[in-house]
Amino acid sequence: MMKILNALKGNKSGASAAEYALIVAVLGGFVVLGATAFGGSLQSAMTQTGTALDAEASTTF
């Protein structure tokens, strides 16, 4: 039993996978934050454009 535990103790292959998973999670968080910020500014721009078009249409006709 001690041989198996010592063999597993020396195995470091899982550490790399955990590090890559952490990097992917952090990058994924940045993508979500960027998309949220961009989506908010895009919604604001579209609302302003729609308001301007409505105002222009109501004064034209």
Side-chain angles (χ1 to χ4, degrees), residues 2 6 10 12-13 23 25-26 28 30-31 36 38 41 43 52 54:
M2 291 303 289
N6 284 334
K12 305 280 187 200
S13 64
I23 290 170
V26 169
F30 284 139
V31 168
T36 302
F38 179 71
S41 63
Q43 181 181 5
D54 285 342

Side-chain angles (χ1 to χ4, degrees), residues 4-8 11 16 18 21-22 24-28 31-33 36 42-44 46-47 49 51 58 60:
I4 295 172
L5 291 176
N6 284 334
L8 290 174
N11 187 357
S16 294
L22 183 61
V24 168
V26 169
L27 290 177
V31 168
V32 168
L33 288 174
T36 302
L42 182 63
Q43 181 181 5
S44 176
M46 290 295 181
T47 301
T49 303
T51 303
S58 66
T60 303

